[in-house]
Amino acid sequence: MKKTGIMSALIAAVILVCTAGAAPADEFLRERARNLYEVQDYRGAYNLFERLLEENPEDGEALDYSAWCLRYFGDWKSAEERFRMALDAPSGALVSWLYVGLGETLLGAADERGAIKSFGQAMDAAPDDTELVLRSLKGIAWANAFLGDADGLEAAISSTREKDRDYADDLEKDVRPVLEERTAAAAGSDEADEIGIEVLDTRERQAKIYEEEVLGDELDEIIAGILGEQEKPGEPEEIEEPDEPEEPKEIEEIEEIEEPEEPKESEELEEPGESEELEELDEPEEPEELGEPEEPKEPEKPEPEKKPEETPVRKPVKKPATEKPAAEKPKEEVQAPVAPPSSVWGVRVGEPIEREFDRAEAEVVKLDREGVEDANGVMRYSFTPKENPFPSYVRSQAASTYYAIEAYRGNILKVHGSVKTKTLPNTLEWRKNTFDAMVAEFSGVYGKPAILTDQGIFFEAAWLLPERRVLWVFVDAGLDGACQVQLSYVDRRIQAGHLIGILK
């Protein structure tokens, strides 16, 4: 018995030693991913959960968290797919809350009827979870309001009132204006059928900025510039082609023209005014000796042939000094106004990442140089600007704030900031008022937005800025009572190259 016990202990010890290296590493990665999620670094958390899923594609918890990250990106299509994968996973997440996440994602995708079904499944899976039931009923109320279904909304509010009267009162105040707005919009529309909504992820929605009707001729310039970078290695070869060795060919041609004695017969054609040179040419032609070409060296024929190379460059510049300065001045004026790009929160979008980090560290409070690369080759770095750039009406309700710099192929692609608010009793109202205020503020500076989206629980707008940048505003309402506000300044040229790279 004792031997058996000792052997069992040894075997257990060996197993612990062998597994001690792998399990703690996964747990450390998982814990770090959870922490990033809590501080609203959804992109960083998502990348780490993806690493866990590479090891175990059926990791239910990683599927659950990564699905929520995609939901907060506004990647509705990808989030829906991930939530459904999590529902099929064997373990690691609560099925009931997965249905809540799926329902909220479907609201973002403007699939209100699908959302109502998912919230119903959530309540069926956990009827005794009061928090889950209240959130699901709120989701059903929102969905009916977006559909303009007054009866469905009333039923949802009544069911909510049975659980929590104050919660139901706040919900009704918040959602009634949405119902009225949708009802009025439906009454003023001549279309009987609903307009199908295309479900797009964030990158797909942002790619719409590169449509011809938005950018116009600039799109061709951007694409030509990107494709031109690939042709740069061939340019030096083109420069080497027109080398000086080609000029002696011209000299030979001149000699060939001078060799025929026809000019002798047409001595009257002394138009070039080089009669002396023609006479000198007559002398060497009769003897045809090799020693006599030394005499033409005195007039130095090759030298005048080399001098014309200098004359078109140096002499014209010196002689017409009064005329060419006028032509050179505009060139200097075109190059002179080349000013460094303006900074966004202390960071200059579009600049080389390493050089810009060295400069920006003097202007930002904190800059993390240890970035994380995603599957599409984008590096992400967290940082903190000196001042909070969000409007005061956003800052006053902020529960957490997160900032990031994204780089692609060594250049800064994007400067991004996001704010998650405290729990708000009037989530939909705050979302709309905040978005309207931000659109009015930025439109006063940059004009009408190039893109304006009102889709279910989120609003999105984009402006084309100077220095080939795009400003994106994203405001999103969550069933947890919090709103998310995102600001992004993106370099149009680098983003176009990134999108082209993804398509390849």
Side-chain angles (χ1 to χ4, degrees), residues 325-377:
E328 292 176 357
K329 285 180 181 178
K331 293 181 180 179
E332 294 177 358
E333 291 175 0
V334 173
Q335 297 176 354
V338 177
S342 58
S343 63
V344 178
W345 311 338
V347 179
R348 297 186 300 190
V349 181
E351 292 293 288
I353 186 71
E354 293 298 332
R355 186 177 68 189
E356 185 57 21
F357 273 9
D358 292 338
R359 187 203 64 79
E361 279 184 329
E363 297 187 24
V364 298
V365 175
K366 182 181 179 182
L367 180 61
D368 185 3
R369 287 177 178 261
E370 295 183 3
V372 178
E373 185 176 4
D374 67 12
N376 294 313

Side-chain angles (χ1 to χ4, degrees), residues 277-289:
E277 294 180 358
L278 294 173
E279 292 175 359
E280 293 174 358
L281 291 173
D282 294 339
E283 295 176 0
E285 287 173 357
E286 294 174 358
E288 295 181 355
E289 297 179 358

